[in-house]
Amino acid sequence: MTAEFHKANRQRLYAEMKDGSAAVFFSGSAPRQSADAYYTFFTNRNFLYLTGIKFAGFVLVATKIGGNVQESIYILPPDLMKERWTGRRPKADEVMAQSGITDIRFVENFENDIHRVLNSGNVQHVYLDLYRHTPDEGLDEAHRFAQTIKTGYPFLTVENILPILKRLRTLKAPCEIDAMRRAMTVTREGILRMMRASHPGMYEYEYKAEFDYALTSAGVLEPAFHSIISAGENNFCIHYDSYMGQAKDGDMILNDVGAQWDGECNDVSRGWPCNGKYSKEQRMLYACALNTSNYMFSIIKPGMLMDDVDKTARRYCCEQLKKIGLLSSYDEIGKYMWHGGAHHVGYDVHDVVDALGKPIAPNMVFCVDIGIYAEELGIGFRVEDNCLVTPTGAENLSASVPRTIEDIEAVMAK
């Protein structure tokens, strides 16, 4: 991603900020894992969207006063001893080139600088990214800073900027879509490697090793999310990630995986028999899911309500399952379809966007995710593809990943 992309994102954000306001964004930090070990750092996605910077401990500050916007980014100063242990820190010129921000300061100045801004009398509102997935999770830097403002600057109003960011992230820029296409070439190769290597007796961690090899060979050092790769009865855990199961002859292999490129994620699922040949029951169920997916790609177009994607997929799949005698009415669909049929993808694999109850629009990207889980038959899998909404319809970004029974069996026969 270029500095122009990140600069455009910030300008659109600033346009929606109130006059007399300040916005503060934190890149985040890695939580402690155990003893003196820390988890790998993962940049706050909104900070990345606005700056392109992937480094812990940075802060972005923007003020909008009298219609004029001033922005600064606070970075870690050079420290040869710390850099010897934890790696080289980005220099000011590198941060400027990546983000397009020209006012670069050191984080040691942030506290005094923000105090002057908040006490200036020119600011009445402070915007923070106050996302929380669950009410009981720990406080991040933004929530802790919100507490600081409420106690130290009670005359200011704290506002959550997340709704604005969700609206901005809903529609993808051309460079984002290009990055998703690049990521898809890597995802495809990883799935092909798993298909070609598959055989009875293979462990789930061996499948994962094949996928990971494809990613690292392309210079992608981590997947878009924790890979879900399972065999047999483990397929009935939707977000399974133990990798210790062993495929038995006739088992279905479920994989829900994705690469990332420039921070943009893929999310693709395929299901295949570990021995390379679908049984009669596997063939019938897989056809139900694939037919439903194909139908959805044929009808998705701008103007359709996002909520209707899931509803329509479930009803169409119900009719498919009725044809093979697996259920008799829509009231029973929950027995075989356990999760939603669509979610947006982007900087997050379950992208944080503003789409609920809204019509589909060009340049949205979301998954069409058709999962069927028939525990009584020991068959569970999903067919998940990435859908780009075009001005007239939809494009399957993952169409090149083998998805028909014939194509999958042909790949596995090689």
Side-chain angles (χ1 to χ4, degrees), residues 189-261:
E189 184 58 32
I191 294 175
L192 285 173
R193 286 189 65 91
M194 288 191 288
M195 287 180 177
R196 289 168 178 154
S198 184
H199 60 82
M202 190 168 176
Y203 282 92
E204 293 160 349
Y205 57 76
E206 294 179 291
Y207 286 98
K208 183 178 182 294
E210 295 288 343
F211 183 74
D212 290 346
Y213 180 86
L215 267 60
T216 55
S217 295
V220 177
L221 301 186
E222 58 183 358
F225 56 97
H226 290 299
S227 299
I228 300 167
I229 302 169
S230 58
E233 64 183 16
N234 293 332
N235 296 354
F236 300 109
C237 176
I238 295 173
H239 282 172
Y240 176 86
D241 63 356
S242 295
Y243 313 123
M244 294 304 294
Q246 185 178 27
K248 301 179 180 65
D249 194 16
D251 277 353
M252 285 285 281
I253 304 301
L254 182 154
N255 76 96
D256 187 337
V257 296
Q260 61 172 311
W261 197 275

Side-chain angles (χ1 to χ4, degrees), residues 21-199:
S21 66
V24 182
F25 300 92
F26 300 89
S27 68
S29 58
R32 189 174 66 87
Q33 183 175 15
S34 179
D36 62 349
Y38 286 78
Y39 287 101
T40 301
F41 173 66
F42 190 75
T43 311
N44 176 281
R45 297 294 94 178
N46 285 326
F47 187 90
L48 181 63
Y49 179 75
L50 295 172
T51 68
I53 304 299
K54 297 180 179 180
F55 208 87
F58 284 23
V59 186
L60 169 64
V61 176
T63 59
K64 185 175 182 179
I65 301 170
N68 296 316
V69 175
Q70 292 186 334
E71 57 181 8
S72 306
I73 191 166
Y74 292 78
I75 69 174
L76 298 181
D79 187 319
L80 294 181
M81 182 57 68
K82 289 184 178 179
E83 291 181 60
R84 180 177 295 170
W85 284 93
T86 59
R88 181 179 175 276
R89 295 176 173 180
K91 301 296 187 290
D93 58 342
E94 296 169 321
V95 173
M96 188 182 304
Q98 181 64 46
S99 67
I101 299 170
T102 56
D103 186 5
I104 313 293
R105 308 182 186 188
F106 292 133
V107 290
E108 58 208 40
N109 299 315
F110 167 70
E111 187 173 335
N112 287 335
D113 287 357
I114 198 66
H115 175 72
R116 284 195 295 270
V117 169
L118 300 183
N119 257 343
S120 67
N122 297 320
V123 170
Q124 295 81 45
H125 309 273
V126 180
Y127 289 101
L128 297 170
D129 178 7
L130 298 175
Y131 177 84
R132 295 187 82 178
H133 187 58
T134 59
D136 59 346
E137 66 185 15
L139 300 181
D140 61 11
E141 288 95 335
H143 285 87
R144 290 195 293 271
F145 192 64
Q147 292 181 336
T148 297
I149 294 172
K150 289 177 181 178
T151 56
Y153 308 88
F155 48 87
L156 300 178
T157 301
V158 174
E159 300 199 25
N160 190 0
I161 204 165
L162 184 61
I164 299 175
L165 284 161
K166 288 169 69 175
R167 289 198 298 274
L168 298 183
R169 286 175 55 178
T170 301
L171 302 181
K172 310 308 180 191
C175 61
E176 292 182 272
I177 296 169
D178 288 344
M180 290 181 179
R181 294 187 191 278
R182 291 288 299 273
M184 191 60 71
T185 64
V186 183
T187 301
R188 176 181 182 274
E189 184 58 32
I191 294 175
L192 285 173
R193 286 189 65 91
M194 288 191 288
M195 287 180 177
R196 289 168 178 154
S198 184
H199 60 82

